[in-house]
Structure formats: structure tokens, C-alpha cells
Amino acid sequence: MKRTVTSHLDLGLSAPAKLVFAVAAAQGSMFESQSMTISVDGSPVTPRELVDITGNRMHVLDAQGGRVVMDYFATVAGTAAAPPVDDFDLITYLRPSRYCESDTLAPTAGAEFGGLQGADLLAAVTQWVSNMLTYVPGSSLPTDGAVRTFLGRQGVCRDYAHLCIALLRAMNVPARLAAVFAPGLSPMEYHAVCEAYLPADGDRAAGWYVVDATRLAPRQSLLRVATGRDAADTAFLTNYGGNVSLDGLEVTAVVDDFATDDGSQLLQLR
């Protein structure tokens, strides 16, 4: 499998700001080629790259100008190793977080999914959230969490993922958010999915399995960008200092072997 991805951001700054980009494919991806260029008012600059233990890559820039343009390109050939399982993560991703209020939604989760576990639970949560929500671009605020999504019955990919995560955590299943490139997504953008941990059972290996109730792109070709508790950990752009206007955003993602995903398989981000 060969995936080719690009990202273009055009930003306007009102004052000097520290910019943190999380747009690059995660460390551990099987890179065939990769490049990132950033300019400030037309002059090239080099960001600092920071990598955490999960493979998240942040490119940090102290920008003094008024216009920042970022372009990222990567070709990833083959699939990465299965996501590692860490005992610390299994506790961290059970806890409620800013956008995934699993404690508030615990009664709902218990009423809807009581008695289910493992792959059956993941399938039930996926179907329930898919049926419950309507995908409506622009329908949610950046501050909306799983509870507001549940009450409003609509949202975009991050809202679907947050609700899945909260319900699974409420059922004592570690769950987290993964920001990804998603070949086949329309309209093309960065995409967000849930990953849920399942222990080994028979022929199934222990690991993190993808849950995507939007069903907008085949899970087989997703390419990891960032992983975290929720969208607070995985935003493609964060700024500190001056206000930033997003004047241009273009994301592309294509794959040479487009898969058909009927939702019945347990799949991992590779």
C-alpha cells in the first residue's frame, strides 16, 4: 500500500505568535519521501521538531511576520508496526477528558450497552453513534464535547469520535482519538477517529482497534498523524500570542490500492 498525502496552510497573524503544527504523519510511518516547507512573509524558516513517546510530531515556530505559509508532503509505502500497548496509556485513556465526558455519559452507556464487551461492544457503539448522529459540517463549536454532541444529535468527525470515546470509556474500555489522513474522504480534510483497546481473545491480538462511526473513508488506508485523549491533544494548529486567521487549508490523501470497508472487520491504524 502506498499513500501520498499533502497539507497546505495559509495563516494571517495579527501579532508575533508561537505556532505549533501537528500536520505530519506520525513517527514510525514507512516514509518513502517527506518534506515540510514554511515561510514567513515569503522568507523560508525552519521549525523545531518535537516528538513524543507516542510518535506525535510537533513542528514549533516563533513567527514574527504577518503571513505564514506551510506545505507538507509525504509518500508512505507499506504499513507501520501495530500501535504499541502501554499500561500507563490503558489507565490514561480510561479517564474522562475535556471533550469526552465519560463520567456524565456513564448511565447512558450502561443502559444502551450493558452486557456487551469486546468486538461486540465496539460494533454496537459504532452502529449506535452512526444512527444517533447526523453529519453536518459547521454544526458544532470548537468547544463542544461528547455530551453536547449527544444532546444535539449532529456534528463532524471529531464529534463522532468524541462520543464513541466517551461511551467506550464509560464501559471501561480504554479509548483515544487519532487524527489521520483519510484517502477517500469527501470533502477532503483531516479526519478524526476513535481507537479502542481490546485484550487478546482467541485469534485476536491485544491492541488498539479503529472505531469510525462516520463511515466516510475506509479504515484500511488511514494514516496516523497524532494520537491523544481527545481533540485538545491532536489539533493540527495551535497558537500562543497573536490571533491567527486560517485563510487557506488544503489537504489531500490518495492510496494506490483503495479498499472497501464494510465495517465488519477489526482493523488497526497501520
Side-chain angles (χ1 to χ4, degrees):
M1 180 190 301
K2 179 180 289 189
R3 289 160 286 184
T4 301
V5 300
T6 69
S7 179
H8 170 84
L9 273 70
D10 189 344
L11 310 174
L13 275 61
S14 65
K18 181 186 293 293
L19 303 178
V20 181
F21 298 94
V23 300
Q27 189 179 61
S29 302
M30 306 295 286
F31 292 109
E32 186 174 275
S33 59
Q34 182 182 206
S35 67
M36 175 180 285
T37 59
I38 301 178
S39 66
V40 178
D41 290 339
S43 298
V45 296
T46 302
R48 293 181 293 123
E49 181 174 353
L50 306 176
V51 183
D52 71 9
I53 60 173
T54 67
N56 292 343
R57 300 164 65 198
M58 294 187 293
H59 291 87
V60 183
L61 175 68
D62 293 309
Q64 303 295 320
R67 176 65 53 188
V68 176
V69 177
M70 189 285 308
D71 283 287
Y72 174 73
F73 166 86
T75 297
V76 175
T79 55
V85 176
D86 181 87
D87 287 341
F88 190 90
D89 288 345
L90 297 185
I91 294 175
T92 297
Y93 296 129
L94 274 175
R95 294 170 174 166
S97 60
R98 176 180 177 181
Y99 294 116
C100 300
E101 309 97 317
S102 51
D103 45 358
T104 303
L105 288 170
T108 300
E112 295 291 338
F113 310 114
L116 296 176
Q117 58 184 346
D120 291 338
L121 176 59
L122 268 57
V125 168
T126 302
Q127 187 64 52
W128 190 85
V129 173
S130 182
N131 291 342
M132 180 68 63
L133 302 184
T134 301
Y135 194 94
V136 181
S139 61
S140 58
L141 300 172
T143 53
D144 286 355
V147 170
R148 184 156 181 169
T149 298
F150 169 66
L151 296 174
R153 299 295 198 267
Q154 59 185 0
V156 292
C157 60
R158 57 163 261 165
D159 304 307
Y160 279 67
H162 285 157
L163 185 53
C164 288
I165 292 166
L167 293 170
L168 288 166
R169 289 179 186 170
M171 295 300 294
N172 298 311
V173 174
R176 63 191 189 183
L177 187 139
V180 298
F181 288 104
L185 186 68
S186 182
M188 180 56 67
E189 239 271 34
Y190 284 110
H191 192 44
V193 298
C194 164
E195 284 186 295
Y197 172 78
L198 293 180
D201 182 17
D203 294 334
R204 183 188 73 213
W208 293 98
Y209 292 92
V210 183
V211 174
D212 185 7
T214 71
R215 296 173 172 165
L216 293 177
R219 293 170 296 158
Q220 294 93 328
S221 55
L222 300 179
L223 179 62
R224 187 187 306 274
V225 175
T227 310
R229 294 164 297 174
D230 54 34
D233 293 339
T234 60
F236 67 81
L237 174 67
T238 308
N239 70 290
Y240 304 95
N243 292 330
V244 175
S245 61
L246 181 59
D247 299 329
L249 170 64
E250 184 177 357
V251 176
T252 69
V254 296
V255 63
D256 64 347
D257 184 15
F258 195 77
T260 299
D261 184 2
D262 64 6
S264 64
Q265 296 175 279
L266 284 174
L267 299 170
Q268 293 186 304
L269 276 179
R270 305 291 294 273

